[in-house]
């Protein structure tokens, strides 16, 4: 349908990125003459991740890309023929060659929306055979993206609004697809950007990166750059030998710090000079290759002050080992004294970045009052979600031919809510969410300022609520295969996520032992559930 116009469409997922039982069920529907019956599925999760009380919806744009490009190629159909029974009617495979999503409709929460258990992230309607085939790919695309976005949102809440957070987990991610997804949706969840260049190219995620320890250890200090000179930042005046000026500044810095001039590592200083020559307007030093205080700091200061003479401003330093909080405080004190000594006020506010397997507890310490850390790079703990590796989304049939369907099971937690539904968020006067209500699609929407009786899930009694405002949650994104409205940019979805979180009550936003957010049923939906339960048990 749209793969030729969207180079990412096939990259999102291929039709056979699915479980075999989707194909066996498709054959069963086709053989029973039910392939084109209209059906509706809902994709949702049953419990909030990480012990929290909220999630962020994500992955919708990847789902829509996938749907619009969905078409079984000849090679796909031939492979299915090789794994299905050999006596399968060849007409079935001819039918599959014509299958696409031109009759599929999708309603969904906008990306970045607050999401709660049982409330659909996606509603997918269309021919039964087709929407059944979509189950596994959609779960794959939504579950991990939403988990990453939620994890990133939690880390942002811990860090607070002022610290800059960078995702640096590509090398720790579960494969290339997982890495791209993590970089994309950690940004949506509140990170400031990523080290992942492909996420910048394909998704518009801001990217950043400087240098690793290997760059520094590759220098011995005996190397001679082809051109060690640098022109002043203003463009006027003679070029200056930066390495020579750094050596001159090193004498003054070491005298001020009480260090011997030979203590700082020559190779590290040569690496800093080489990097400064390449990036005079974006010079940043990695300080912990040898010794932070006896080598990294004085070498950085010597080069930064030499650049400063030419009108350039170093942008920061990074630490990747040791007690990051304590070292950052010590470095800031040094920067302030050196700034005062040499009358370079820009030096005292230079950014201090840290990284090194930072998790939630480490982040809380780095974000505390009095921390001198400005930028925090997080890898493993954001991309692998160690506290909970899966959101546990499910995709359940709720109607066929306009008639409700419900999964009845001995486990009440796995019972589904039948029928085509609408979802609304009821808001207080201050804009904070009061509860979400699910009702049958044919019911009249709740009205602001009017009392409404609802049944919170898990409660024995009804609540009567009077919302100040009512927001419909599920928007129509795809109708009969066509996109109904343009997607917001990733940056706009990120801003929407942060705005949504800012309105959530603190009791639901707490990261440990939060108050559960209520999701309720209308009278009519609750009655339908009771009726089907009674019918199923009789």
């Amino acid at each position: 349908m749209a793969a030729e116009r969207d180079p990412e469409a096939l990259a999102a997922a291929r039709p056979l990125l699915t479980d075999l039982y989707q194909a066996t069920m498709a054959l069963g529907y086709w053989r029973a003459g039910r392939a084109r019956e209209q059906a509706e599925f809902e994709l949702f999760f049953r419990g909030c991740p990480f012990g929290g009380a909220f999630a962020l919806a994500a992955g919708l744009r990847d789902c829509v890309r996938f749907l619009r490009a969905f078409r079984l190629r000849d090679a796909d159909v031939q492979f299915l023929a090789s794994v299905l029974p050999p006596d399968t009617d060849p007409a079935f495979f001819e039918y599959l060659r014509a299958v696409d999503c031109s009759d599929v409709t999708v309603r969904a929460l906008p990306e970045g929306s607050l999401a709660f258990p049982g409330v659909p992230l996606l509603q997918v309607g269309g021919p039964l055979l087709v929407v059944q085939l979509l189950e596994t790919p959609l779960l794959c695309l939504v579950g991990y993206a939403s988990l990453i976005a939620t994890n990133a949102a939690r880390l942002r809440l811990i860090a607070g609004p002022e610290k800059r957070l960078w995702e640096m987990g590509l090398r720790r991610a579960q494969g290339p697809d997982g890495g791209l997804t993590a970089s994309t949706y950690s940004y949506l969840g509140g990170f400031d950007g990523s080290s992942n260049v492909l996420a910048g190219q394909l998704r518009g995620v801001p990217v950043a990166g400087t240098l690793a320890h290997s760059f520094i250890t590759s220098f011995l200090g005996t190397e001679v750059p082809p051109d060690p000179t640098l022109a002043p930042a203003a463009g006027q005046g003679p070029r200056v030998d930066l390495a020579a000026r750094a050596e001159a500044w090193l004498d003054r810095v070491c005298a001020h710090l009480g260090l011997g001039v030979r203590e700082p590592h020559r190779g590290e200083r040569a690496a800093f000079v080489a990097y400064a020559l390449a990036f005079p307007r974006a010079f940043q030093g990695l300080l912990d290759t040898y010794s932070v205080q006896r080598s990294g700091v004085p070498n950085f200061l010597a080069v930064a002050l030499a650049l400063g003479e030419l009108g350039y401003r170093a942008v920061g330093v990074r630490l990747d080992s040791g007690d990051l909080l304590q070292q950052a405080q010590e470095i800031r004190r040094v920067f302030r004294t050196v700034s005062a000594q040499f009358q370079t006020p820009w030096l005292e506010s230079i950014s201090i970045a840290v990284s090194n397997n930072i998790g939630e507890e480490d982040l809380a310490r780095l974000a505390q009052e009095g921390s001198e850390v400005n930028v925090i790079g997080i890898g493993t703990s954001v991309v692998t979600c160690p506290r909970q590796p899966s959101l546990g989304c499910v995709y359940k049939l709720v109607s066929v031919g306009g008639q409700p369907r419900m999964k009845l099971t001995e486990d009440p937690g796995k019972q589904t809510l039948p029928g085509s539904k609408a979802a609304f968020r009821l808001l207080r006067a201050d804009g904070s969410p009061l509860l979400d209500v699910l009702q049958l699609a044919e019911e009249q929407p709740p009205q602001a300022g009017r009392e409404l009786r609802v049944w919170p899930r898990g409660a024995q009694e009804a609540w009567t609520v009077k919302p100040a405002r009512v927001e419909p949650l599920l928007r129509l994104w795809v109708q009969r295969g066509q996109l109904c409205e343009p997607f917001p940019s990733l940056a706009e979805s990120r801003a929407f996520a942060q705005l949504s979180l800012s309105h959530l009550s603190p009791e639901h936003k707490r990261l440990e032992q939060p108050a559960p957010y209520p999701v309720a049923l209308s009278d009519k939906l609750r009655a339908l559930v009771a009726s089907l339960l009674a019918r199923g048990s009789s």
Side-chain angles (χ1 to χ4, degrees):
M1 292 164 63
E4 296 81 4
R5 297 188 298 275
D6 183 359
E8 278 199 80
L10 289 178
R14 294 183 181 275
L16 292 195
L17 186 69
T18 191
D19 296 304
L20 181 59
Y21 80 168
Q22 310 294 0
T24 61
M25 285 189 285
L27 174 57
Y29 292 139
W30 180 84
R31 184 66 179 80
R34 305 187 63 203
R36 297 204 56 80
E37 286 188 39
Q38 289 299 297
E40 185 173 318
F41 284 79
E42 291 180 348
L43 191 155
F44 60 93
F45 59 92
R46 294 189 175 108
C48 290
F50 313 118
F54 70 88
L56 288 182
L60 174 62
R61 70 190 66 218
D62 292 332
C63 291
V64 172
R65 281 192 177 106
F66 166 68
L67 294 175
R68 299 187 73 204
F70 185 93
R71 193 70 182 254
L72 290 164
R73 301 168 301 167
D74 287 345
D76 299 330
V77 176
Q78 289 167 11
F79 180 78
L80 288 176
S82 75
V83 295
L84 289 174
D87 59 352
T88 300
D89 189 335
F92 171 66
F93 299 112
E94 288 307 308
Y95 185 87
L96 289 182
R97 293 178 194 279
V99 164
D100 61 19
C101 290
S102 58
D103 290 325
V104 170
T105 294
V106 176
R107 290 179 172 81
L109 295 178
E111 285 201 304
S113 296
L114 290 169
F116 301 102
V119 178
L121 302 176
L122 273 70
Q123 291 175 328
V124 184
L128 179 56
L129 181 148
V130 176
V131 291
Q132 182 71 72
L133 285 174
L134 300 177
E135 175 180 3
T136 304
L138 294 182
L139 286 170
C140 185
L141 291 169
V142 170
Y144 183 57
S146 298
L147 186 75
I148 286 288
T150 306
N151 194 26
R154 286 174 59 87
L155 293 167
R156 169 53 70 191
L157 288 171
I158 294 170
E162 301 303 321
K163 304 294 184 189
R164 281 175 285 162
L165 296 179
W166 288 87
E167 178 271 317
M168 303 166 60
L170 178 58
R171 64 190 61 191
R172 307 282 185 252
Q174 291 94 337
D177 292 340
L180 181 60
T181 299
S183 300
T184 302
Y185 293 106
S186 61
Y187 176 65
L188 184 147
F191 274 50
D192 293 286
S194 171
S195 65
N196 186 342
V197 178
L198 188 63
Q201 181 191 35
L202 296 182
R203 304 298 178 85
V205 176
V207 295
T210 52
L211 67 165
H213 295 102
S214 57
F215 183 86
I216 294 171
T217 58
S218 74
F219 286 83
L220 296 175
T222 57
E223 298 82 6
V224 179
D227 181 4
T229 65
L230 190 65
Q236 302 294 324
R239 296 178 69 86
V240 173
D241 187 323
L242 185 65
R245 291 309 304 151
E247 292 296 329
W249 270 108
L250 184 68
D251 289 341
R252 301 174 67 183
V253 168
C254 286
H256 175 70
L257 298 179
L259 295 171
V261 73
R262 294 192 176 185
E263 288 188 66
H265 196 285
R266 288 178 62 201
E268 181 180 59
R269 190 161 59 258
F272 286 174
V273 168
Y275 197 80
L277 287 169
F279 298 97
R281 300 181 189 277
F283 173 56
Q284 179 170 335
L286 177 57
L287 302 185
D288 63 336
T289 303
Y290 300 109
S291 167
V292 172
Q293 292 296 338
R294 296 196 310 275
S295 184
V297 168
N299 277 331
F300 168 78
L301 287 170
V303 177
L305 290 166
L307 283 172
E309 284 185 323
L310 296 172
Y312 300 100
R313 298 290 180 262
V315 299
V317 296
R318 180 164 72 92
L319 296 164
D320 191 49
S321 61
D323 187 327
L324 302 174
L325 179 67
Q326 180 180 339
Q327 289 186 100
Q329 292 169 336
E330 292 170 353
I331 289 167
R332 183 69 72 201
R333 282 195 292 270
V334 172
F335 285 175
R336 286 174 179 147
T337 66
V338 172
S339 173
Q341 174 70 20
F342 300 119
Q343 299 182 358
T344 51
W346 53 268
L347 184 59
E348 64 179 88
S349 59
I350 271 183
S351 175
I352 299 177
V354 299
S355 55
N356 186 23
N357 201 27
I358 293 169
E360 288 189 0
E361 291 183 6
D362 308 301
L363 181 58
R365 185 166 178 261
L366 294 169
Q368 67 186 4
E369 187 175 354
S371 169
E372 295 292 351
V373 172
N374 308 106
V375 182
I376 302 167
I378 305 179
T380 305
S381 65
V382 66
V383 305
T384 66
C385 301
R387 289 192 58 173
Q388 183 175 329
S390 173
L391 182 55
C393 288
V394 294
Y395 182 89
K396 297 300 180 184
L397 182 68
V398 296
S399 73
V400 178
Q403 297 302 306
R405 294 290 189 271
M406 180 179 180
K407 178 182 177 181
L408 303 177
T409 173
E410 287 80 3
D411 182 353
K414 289 198 168 185
Q415 290 174 354
T416 59
L417 295 174
S420 182
K421 292 180 283 297
F424 298 91
R425 184 155 293 157
L426 310 188
L427 305 173
R428 301 182 179 91
D430 64 0
S432 63
L434 173 64
L435 59 82
D436 288 4
V437 61
L438 298 172
Q439 62 181 51
L440 296 174
E442 65 263 22
E443 295 185 66
Q444 289 296 312
Q447 298 296 310
R450 291 189 182 181
E451 286 191 346
L452 177 71
R453 188 172 80 157
V454 296
W455 295 85
R457 303 191 73 179
Q460 301 301 314
E461 302 292 334
W463 290 3
T464 299
V465 294
K466 188 177 180 180
R469 286 170 45 209
V470 176
E471 288 184 353
L473 292 178
L474 299 167
R475 285 165 57 176
L476 181 64
W477 292 98
V478 176
Q479 187 166 36
R480 298 186 65 81
Q482 297 301 310
L483 189 64
C484 295
E485 61 177 294
F487 275 111
S489 69
L490 189 62
E492 289 169 334
S493 295
R494 178 182 183 272
F496 176 61
Q498 294 306 302
L499 179 64
S500 300
L501 280 165
S502 72
H503 290 154
L504 188 63
S505 297
E507 63 178 354
H508 304 311
K509 210 157 40 178
R510 287 197 305 265
L511 302 184
E512 301 296 337
Q513 299 182 329
Y517 178 84
V519 175
L521 311 185
S522 68
D523 274 333
K524 193 168 183 179
L525 178 55
R526 181 174 181 270
L528 176 60
V529 170
S531 170
L532 293 177
L533 283 171
R535 190 184 311 168
S537 61
S538 60

